[in-house]
Amino acid sequence: MNVLYVVGVGPGDPELITVKALRLVQEADVVAGFSTVLEVVRKHVRGQVLPLTYRDQEEKLGQLAEAASRGMRCVLCAWGDPSVSAQELVERVQRVYPWVEIVAGVSSLAVACARVGAALEESLFISLHRREGAERAFQELVYALKQGHRHVFVFPRPYDLMPAQIAQRLMAEEIPPETRVVVLERLGLPEERVLSLSLGALTRCDTLSDLTILFFPKEDEGGYGDGQC
């Protein structure tokens, strides 16, 4: 059996793919991943491409595990750094295959820090991009915003806990509608956008992509403007 690599390919900018990730993709017999992720590395793939969707990912991961068990060199590509933004995907792979190695990549969180000028050591990172524990993470977000002592970065969850829904729920938890929030969409991609909004304005932003990070500056560092989606 070969090691099955879960490789972080960065936030989308092809210049932010690590040398190791690029080598593993080029040497692989099978390269799997969601279609948007595969677009970042497709021109480097020499083997078979195995695209995943949210509906068939369990089946496709089983096929990838079977290929690895037959001695094929297999790579599963994930956005950013798998340990930051793809933990559930990693756990799914580990359930079907015993020898998994995570290859770190450049996280979109690091790019987000650079865009807004925030130090990671002064920030809290909360991921809602999960099925289990999302409600606990949301309450942690509410508490952090009410305290206002640290910057907060938030990863939304595709489809049912996107930025507009997060804003609506935060206001229901008595977070003021004038609270500052910076929307960082498609970081590292040609369509990248950085928008500065109030929480109230964010409730009307229902067309943001699932490649979005929210940044809430700490209480004493507001003043990011009042833009519109």
Side-chain angles (χ1 to χ4, degrees):
M1 287 188 176
N2 280 350
V3 171
L4 194 162
Y5 293 97
V6 182
V7 174
V9 300
D13 184 340
E15 294 184 342
L16 292 179
I17 301 174
T18 67
V19 173
K20 183 172 184 177
L22 191 59
R23 176 179 61 79
L24 289 171
V25 166
Q26 291 173 335
E27 293 176 352
D29 298 308
V30 184
V31 177
F34 290 98
S35 296
T36 51
V37 181
L38 290 175
E39 287 306 312
V40 179
V41 299
R42 190 176 292 272
K43 67 180 180 180
H44 303 293
V45 177
R46 298 168 182 169
Q48 175 190 350
V49 174
L50 185 65
L52 312 180
T53 67
Y54 284 107
R55 291 188 176 183
D56 70 6
Q57 59 182 306
E58 300 284 355
E59 176 188 350
K60 294 293 181 66
L61 291 176
Q63 294 175 16
L64 189 66
E66 182 181 353
S69 69
R70 297 199 308 267
M72 300 179 75
R73 295 168 296 183
C74 295
V75 166
L76 174 62
C77 294
W79 283 123
D81 185 324
S83 297
V84 175
S85 55
Q87 188 57 41
E88 286 192 345
L89 181 62
V90 171
E91 290 171 355
R92 289 189 183 98
V93 178
Q94 291 172 332
R95 285 197 292 268
V96 297
Y97 196 75
W99 289 286
V100 175
E101 181 175 325
I102 298 172
V103 179
V106 177
S107 171
S108 57
L109 182 60
V111 179
C113 285
R115 293 290 188 271
V116 299
L120 192 56
E121 62 263 30
E122 297 178 358
S123 306
L124 178 66
F125 165 57
I126 296 176
S127 178
L128 303 176
H129 197 297
R130 60 175 86 179
R131 292 298 167 188
E132 296 182 6
E135 187 57 35
R136 183 175 64 252
F138 183 81
Q139 292 305 318
E140 183 181 3
L141 169 61
V142 172
Y143 178 79
L145 293 181
K146 288 183 176 180
Q147 293 296 305
H149 298 322
R150 302 175 72 186
H151 302 306
V152 183
F153 289 94
V154 180
F155 277 14
R157 185 170 68 197
Y159 303 117
D160 62 346
L161 202 50
M162 292 289 282
Q165 288 94 340
I166 292 171
Q168 291 162 8
R169 287 195 58 186
L170 287 174
M171 289 173 58
E173 295 280 353
E174 300 183 345
I175 303 298
E178 62 271 17
T179 299
R180 298 291 95 197
V181 55
V182 179
V183 177
L184 302 116
E185 184 181 25
R186 295 183 176 274
L187 289 175
L189 294 168
E191 318 86 69
E192 176 181 315
R193 291 198 302 168
V194 178
L195 306 171
S196 181
L197 308 169
S198 66
L199 191 63
L202 184 59
T203 63
R204 300 185 291 275
C205 296
D206 55 4
T207 59
L208 293 170
S209 81
D210 58 359
L211 298 178
T212 298
I213 298 174
L214 301 179
F215 170 68
F216 294 88
K218 60 184 179 181
E219 197 171 62
D220 59 349
E221 295 188 18
Y224 282 80
D226 191 15
Q228 299 292 328
C229 281

Short mmCIF file of all heavy atoms in Angstrom, two decimals, residues 72-118:
data_model
loop_
_atom_site.label_atom_id
_atom_site.label_comp_id
_atom_site.label_asym_id
_atom_site.label_seq_id
_atom_site.Cartn_x
_atom_site.Cartn_y
_atom_site.Cartn_z
N MET A 72 -0.93 2.47 -6.48
CA MET A 72 -0.90 3.67 -7.31
C MET A 72 -0.59 4.89 -6.44
O MET A 72 -0.94 4.93 -5.25
CB MET A 72 -2.23 3.85 -8.04
CG MET A 72 -2.58 2.69 -8.96
SD MET A 72 -4.18 2.91 -9.80
CE MET A 72 -3.74 4.14 -11.03
N ARG A 73 0.08 5.86 -7.02
CA ARG A 73 0.41 7.10 -6.31
C ARG A 73 -0.81 8.03 -6.39
O ARG A 73 -1.18 8.47 -7.47
CB ARG A 73 1.64 7.75 -6.94
CG ARG A 73 2.91 6.93 -6.79
CD ARG A 73 4.03 7.45 -7.66
NE ARG A 73 3.69 7.33 -9.09
CZ ARG A 73 4.50 7.65 -10.09
NH1 ARG A 73 5.71 8.12 -9.83
NH2 ARG A 73 4.11 7.51 -11.34
N CYS A 74 -1.40 8.31 -5.24
CA CYS A 74 -2.67 9.03 -5.19
C CYS A 74 -2.56 10.32 -4.38
O CYS A 74 -1.95 10.34 -3.31
CB CYS A 74 -3.77 8.15 -4.60
SG CYS A 74 -4.14 6.70 -5.61
N VAL A 75 -3.17 11.37 -4.91
CA VAL A 75 -3.17 12.68 -4.27
C VAL A 75 -4.60 13.21 -4.23
O VAL A 75 -5.32 13.15 -5.23
CB VAL A 75 -2.27 13.67 -5.04
CG1 VAL A 75 -2.53 15.11 -4.59
CG2 VAL A 75 -0.81 13.32 -4.86
N LEU A 76 -5.00 13.70 -3.08
CA LEU A 76 -6.27 14.40 -2.93
C LEU A 76 -5.96 15.86 -2.68
O LEU A 76 -5.28 16.20 -1.70
CB LEU A 76 -7.07 13.82 -1.77
CG LEU A 76 -8.37 14.55 -1.40
CD1 LEU A 76 -9.37 14.53 -2.55
CD2 LEU A 76 -8.98 13.94 -0.14
N CYS A 77 -6.41 16.74 -3.56
CA CYS A 77 -6.12 18.17 -3.45
C CYS A 77 -7.21 18.88 -2.64
O CYS A 77 -8.40 18.58 -2.79
CB CYS A 77 -6.02 18.80 -4.84
SG CYS A 77 -4.62 18.22 -5.82
N ALA A 78 -6.78 19.82 -1.82
CA ALA A 78 -7.71 20.60 -1.01
C ALA A 78 -7.28 22.06 -1.05
O ALA A 78 -6.10 22.38 -1.23
CB ALA A 78 -7.73 20.10 0.43
N TRP A 79 -8.25 22.96 -0.86
CA TRP A 79 -7.93 24.38 -0.81
C TRP A 79 -6.99 24.68 0.35
O TRP A 79 -7.06 24.05 1.41
CB TRP A 79 -9.19 25.21 -0.61
CG TRP A 79 -10.06 25.43 -1.80
CD1 TRP A 79 -11.39 25.11 -1.90
CD2 TRP A 79 -9.71 26.03 -3.05
NE1 TRP A 79 -11.88 25.46 -3.14
CE2 TRP A 79 -10.87 26.04 -3.86
CE3 TRP A 79 -8.53 26.57 -3.56
CZ2 TRP A 79 -10.89 26.57 -5.15
CZ3 TRP A 79 -8.54 27.09 -4.86
CH2 TRP A 79 -9.70 27.09 -5.63
N GLY A 80 -6.15 25.68 0.16
CA GLY A 80 -5.35 26.23 1.25
C GLY A 80 -4.47 25.21 1.92
O GLY A 80 -3.71 24.48 1.28
N ASP A 81 -4.59 25.13 3.24
CA ASP A 81 -3.89 24.15 4.06
C ASP A 81 -4.95 23.19 4.60
O ASP A 81 -5.87 23.63 5.29
CB ASP A 81 -3.16 24.85 5.20
CG ASP A 81 -2.31 23.90 6.03
OD1 ASP A 81 -2.73 22.74 6.23
OD2 ASP A 81 -1.24 24.31 6.48
N PRO A 82 -4.85 21.89 4.32
CA PRO A 82 -5.90 20.96 4.76
C PRO A 82 -6.16 20.99 6.26
O PRO A 82 -7.29 20.75 6.70
CB PRO A 82 -5.35 19.59 4.33
CG PRO A 82 -4.43 19.90 3.20
CD PRO A 82 -3.81 21.23 3.53
N SER A 83 -5.14 21.27 7.06
CA SER A 83 -5.33 21.29 8.51
C SER A 83 -6.13 22.50 8.98
O SER A 83 -6.64 22.52 10.10
CB SER A 83 -3.97 21.27 9.22
OG SER A 83 -3.28 20.08 8.92
N VAL A 84 -6.25 23.51 8.12
CA VAL A 84 -6.97 24.72 8.49
C VAL A 84 -8.41 24.68 7.98
O VAL A 84 -9.35 25.01 8.71
CB VAL A 84 -6.26 25.97 7.92
CG1 VAL A 84 -7.08 27.24 8.19
CG2 VAL A 84 -4.87 26.11 8.52
N SER A 85 -8.60 24.24 6.74
CA SER A 85 -9.92 24.41 6.13
C SER A 85 -10.52 23.14 5.54
O SER A 85 -11.54 23.21 4.86
CB SER A 85 -9.84 25.48 5.03
OG SER A 85 -8.82 25.15 4.09
N ALA A 86 -9.91 21.99 5.77
CA ALA A 86 -10.44 20.76 5.15
C ALA A 86 -10.42 19.59 6.12
O ALA A 86 -10.24 18.44 5.71
CB ALA A 86 -9.65 20.43 3.89
N GLN A 87 -10.63 19.86 7.41
CA GLN A 87 -10.49 18.80 8.39
C GLN A 87 -11.51 17.68 8.19
O GLN A 87 -11.19 16.50 8.33
CB GLN A 87 -10.63 19.37 9.81
CG GLN A 87 -10.31 18.36 10.91
CD GLN A 87 -8.92 17.76 10.79
OE1 GLN A 87 -7.96 18.46 10.48
NE2 GLN A 87 -8.81 16.47 11.02
N GLU A 88 -12.74 18.04 7.84
CA GLU A 88 -13.75 16.99 7.64
C GLU A 88 -13.40 16.12 6.44
O GLU A 88 -13.62 14.91 6.45
CB GLU A 88 -15.14 17.61 7.47
CG GLU A 88 -15.72 18.14 8.77
CD GLU A 88 -17.19 18.48 8.67
OE1 GLU A 88 -17.70 18.58 7.54
OE2 GLU A 88 -17.82 18.66 9.72
N LEU A 89 -12.85 16.73 5.39
CA LEU A 89 -12.42 15.95 4.22
C LEU A 89 -11.29 15.00 4.61
O LEU A 89 -11.28 13.83 4.21
CB LEU A 89 -11.96 16.90 3.11
CG LEU A 89 -11.51 16.26 1.80
CD1 LEU A 89 -12.65 15.47 1.16
CD2 LEU A 89 -10.98 17.32 0.83
N VAL A 90 -10.34 15.49 5.39
CA VAL A 90 -9.24 14.64 5.86
C VAL A 90 -9.79 13.46 6.66
O VAL A 90 -9.36 12.31 6.48
CB VAL A 90 -8.25 15.47 6.71
CG1 VAL A 90 -7.24 14.55 7.39
CG2 VAL A 90 -7.54 16.50 5.85
N GLU A 91 -10.74 13.72 7.53
CA GLU A 91 -11.31 12.65 8.35
C GLU A 91 -12.03 11.61 7.50
O GLU A 91 -11.99 10.41 7.79
CB GLU A 91 -12.26 13.25 9.39
CG GLU A 91 -11.53 14.04 10.47
CD GLU A 91 -12.47 14.81 11.38
OE1 GLU A 91 -13.71 14.79 11.11
OE2 GLU A 91 -11.99 15.42 12.35
N ARG A 92 -12.70 12.06 6.43
CA ARG A 92 -13.36 11.10 5.54
C ARG A 92 -12.34 10.18 4.88
O ARG A 92 -12.58 8.98 4.72
CB ARG A 92 -14.17 11.85 4.48
CG ARG A 92 -15.42 12.53 5.01
CD ARG A 92 -16.29 13.05 3.88
NE ARG A 92 -17.44 13.76 4.40
CZ ARG A 92 -17.52 15.07 4.50
NH1 ARG A 92 -16.49 15.83 4.11
NH2 ARG A 92 -18.59 15.65 5.00
N VAL A 93 -11.22 10.75 4.45
CA VAL A 93 -10.18 9.94 3.83
C VAL A 93 -9.61 8.95 4.84
O VAL A 93 -9.41 7.77 4.53
CB VAL A 93 -9.05 10.83 3.28
CG1 VAL A 93 -7.94 9.98 2.68
CG2 VAL A 93 -9.58 11.79 2.24
N GLN A 94 -9.37 9.41 6.04
CA GLN A 94 -8.78 8.55 7.07
C GLN A 94 -9.71 7.40 7.46
O GLN A 94 -9.23 6.36 7.91
CB GLN A 94 -8.42 9.39 8.30
CG GLN A 94 -7.26 10.34 8.05
CD GLN A 94 -7.02 11.30 9.19
OE1 GLN A 94 -7.95 11.65 9.93
NE2 GLN A 94 -5.79 11.76 9.35
N ARG A 95 -11.01 7.58 7.27
CA ARG A 95 -11.95 6.49 7.58
C ARG A 95 -11.87 5.36 6.56
O ARG A 95 -12.22 4.22 6.87
CB ARG A 95 -13.38 7.03 7.66
CG ARG A 95 -13.67 7.80 8.94
CD ARG A 95 -15.16 7.95 9.17
NE ARG A 95 -15.80 8.80 8.18
CZ ARG A 95 -15.99 10.11 8.35
NH1 ARG A 95 -15.57 10.71 9.46
NH2 ARG A 95 -16.58 10.83 7.42
N VAL A 96 -11.43 5.67 5.34
CA VAL A 96 -11.42 4.64 4.29
C VAL A 96 -10.02 4.16 3.93
O VAL A 96 -9.87 3.20 3.17
CB VAL A 96 -12.14 5.13 3.01
CG1 VAL A 96 -13.60 5.41 3.30
CG2 VAL A 96 -11.46 6.36 2.42
N TYR A 97 -8.99 4.83 4.48
CA TYR A 97 -7.62 4.44 4.13
C TYR A 97 -6.70 4.71 5.31
O TYR A 97 -6.74 5.80 5.89
CB TYR A 97 -7.15 5.20 2.89
CG TYR A 97 -5.92 4.59 2.25
CD1 TYR A 97 -6.01 3.43 1.50
CD2 TYR A 97 -4.66 5.18 2.41
CE1 TYR A 97 -4.88 2.86 0.92
CE2 TYR A 97 -3.53 4.62 1.83
CZ TYR A 97 -3.65 3.46 1.09
OH TYR A 97 -2.53 2.89 0.52
N PRO A 98 -5.85 3.75 5.69
CA PRO A 98 -5.09 3.89 6.93
C PRO A 98 -3.82 4.74 6.85
O PRO A 98 -3.35 5.24 7.87
CB PRO A 98 -4.74 2.44 7.28
CG PRO A 98 -4.69 1.74 5.96
CD PRO A 98 -5.74 2.40 5.11
N TRP A 99 -3.25 4.90 5.65
CA TRP A 99 -1.97 5.61 5.54
C TRP A 99 -2.17 6.92 4.78
O TRP A 99 -2.06 6.97 3.55
CB TRP A 99 -0.93 4.74 4.84
CG TRP A 99 -0.49 3.60 5.72
CD1 TRP A 99 0.32 3.66 6.81
CD2 TRP A 99 -0.88 2.24 5.58
NE1 TRP A 99 0.47 2.41 7.36
CE2 TRP A 99 -0.25 1.51 6.63
CE3 TRP A 99 -1.68 1.54 4.67
CZ2 TRP A 99 -0.42 0.15 6.79
CZ3 TRP A 99 -1.86 0.18 4.84
CH2 TRP A 99 -1.23 -0.50 5.89
N VAL A 100 -2.47 7.95 5.53
CA VAL A 100 -2.74 9.27 4.96
C VAL A 100 -1.70 10.25 5.48
O VAL A 100 -1.40 10.29 6.68
CB VAL A 100 -4.15 9.76 5.35
CG1 VAL A 100 -4.37 11.20 4.86
CG2 VAL A 100 -5.22 8.83 4.77
N GLU A 101 -1.13 11.02 4.57
CA GLU A 101 -0.18 12.07 4.97
C GLU A 101 -0.70 13.42 4.49
O GLU A 101 -1.06 13.58 3.32
CB GLU A 101 1.20 11.82 4.36
CG GLU A 101 2.23 12.86 4.77
CD GLU A 101 3.63 12.56 4.27
OE1 GLU A 101 3.99 11.36 4.21
OE2 GLU A 101 4.36 13.51 3.93
N ILE A 102 -0.75 14.37 5.41
CA ILE A 102 -1.20 15.72 5.08
C ILE A 102 -0.01 16.57 4.67
O ILE A 102 1.00 16.62 5.38
CB ILE A 102 -1.92 16.36 6.27
CG1 ILE A 102 -3.16 15.54 6.64
CG2 ILE A 102 -2.31 17.81 5.97
CD1 ILE A 102 -3.82 15.98 7.93
N VAL A 103 -0.12 17.22 3.53
CA VAL A 103 0.93 18.10 3.04
C VAL A 103 0.44 19.54 3.16
O VAL A 103 -0.52 19.94 2.50
CB VAL A 103 1.29 17.77 1.57
CG1 VAL A 103 2.38 18.73 1.07
CG2 VAL A 103 1.75 16.33 1.45
N ALA A 104 1.08 20.29 4.03
CA ALA A 104 0.63 21.66 4.32
C ALA A 104 0.72 22.55 3.08
O ALA A 104 1.58 22.36 2.21
CB ALA A 104 1.48 22.26 5.44
N GLY A 105 -0.18 23.51 3.03
CA GLY A 105 -0.17 24.49 1.95
C GLY A 105 -0.33 25.89 2.51
O GLY A 105 -0.43 26.08 3.73
N VAL A 106 -0.35 26.87 1.63
CA VAL A 106 -0.57 28.26 2.04
C VAL A 106 -2.06 28.45 2.28
O VAL A 106 -2.86 28.30 1.36
CB VAL A 106 -0.06 29.24 0.97
CG1 VAL A 106 -0.37 30.68 1.39
CG2 VAL A 106 1.42 29.06 0.73
N SER A 107 -2.43 28.76 3.50
CA SER A 107 -3.84 28.91 3.83
C SER A 107 -4.38 30.27 3.37
O SER A 107 -3.67 31.28 3.41
CB SER A 107 -4.03 28.78 5.34
OG SER A 107 -5.35 29.12 5.71
N SER A 108 -5.64 30.28 2.97
CA SER A 108 -6.29 31.55 2.66
C SER A 108 -6.37 32.44 3.89
O SER A 108 -6.48 33.66 3.78
CB SER A 108 -7.70 31.31 2.09
OG SER A 108 -8.48 30.56 3.00
N LEU A 109 -6.28 31.83 5.07
CA LEU A 109 -6.26 32.62 6.31
C LEU A 109 -5.02 33.50 6.36
O LEU A 109 -5.08 34.67 6.78
CB LEU A 109 -6.31 31.68 7.51
CG LEU A 109 -6.35 32.34 8.89
CD1 LEU A 109 -7.57 33.23 9.04
CD2 LEU A 109 -6.33 31.27 9.98
N ALA A 110 -3.87 32.97 5.92
CA ALA A 110 -2.64 33.76 5.89
C ALA A 110 -2.77 34.91 4.90
O ALA A 110 -2.32 36.04 5.16
CB ALA A 110 -1.46 32.87 5.52
N VAL A 111 -3.39 34.64 3.75
CA VAL A 111 -3.60 35.69 2.75
C VAL A 111 -4.57 36.74 3.29
O VAL A 111 -4.37 37.95 3.10
CB VAL A 111 -4.13 35.09 1.44
CG1 VAL A 111 -4.37 36.18 0.40
CG2 VAL A 111 -3.15 34.06 0.89
N ALA A 112 -5.61 36.29 4.00
CA ALA A 112 -6.57 37.23 4.59
C ALA A 112 -5.89 38.16 5.59
O ALA A 112 -6.15 39.37 5.61
CB ALA A 112 -7.70 36.46 5.26
N CYS A 113 -5.00 37.61 6.42
CA CYS A 113 -4.26 38.45 7.38
C CYS A 113 -3.47 39.53 6.65
O CYS A 113 -3.43 40.69 7.07
CB CYS A 113 -3.31 37.59 8.21
SG CYS A 113 -4.11 36.60 9.49
N ALA A 114 -2.85 39.14 5.54
CA ALA A 114 -2.07 40.11 4.76
C ALA A 114 -2.95 41.19 4.16
O ALA A 114 -2.58 42.37 4.14
CB ALA A 114 -1.30 39.38 3.66
N ARG A 115 -4.14 40.81 3.69
CA ARG A 115 -5.02 41.78 3.04
C ARG A 115 -5.53 42.84 4.03
O ARG A 115 -5.66 44.02 3.67
CB ARG A 115 -6.22 41.08 2.40
CG ARG A 115 -5.88 40.18 1.23
CD ARG A 115 -5.43 40.97 0.00
NE ARG A 115 -5.29 40.08 -1.14
CZ ARG A 115 -4.18 39.42 -1.46
NH1 ARG A 115 -3.10 39.56 -0.70
NH2 ARG A 115 -4.14 38.63 -2.52
N VAL A 116 -5.85 42.43 5.25
CA VAL A 116 -6.43 43.38 6.21
C VAL A 116 -5.40 43.92 7.19
O VAL A 116 -5.72 44.77 8.03
CB VAL A 116 -7.61 42.74 6.99
CG1 VAL A 116 -8.72 42.33 6.04
CG2 VAL A 116 -7.15 41.55 7.83
N GLY A 117 -4.16 43.43 7.11
CA GLY A 117 -3.11 43.92 7.99
C GLY A 117 -3.26 43.50 9.43
O GLY A 117 -2.88 44.24 10.34
N ALA A 118 -3.81 42.31 9.65
CA ALA A 118 -4.01 41.81 11.01
C ALA A 118 -2.97 40.75 11.34
O ALA A 118 -2.64 39.91 10.50
CB ALA A 118 -5.42 41.22 11.16
#
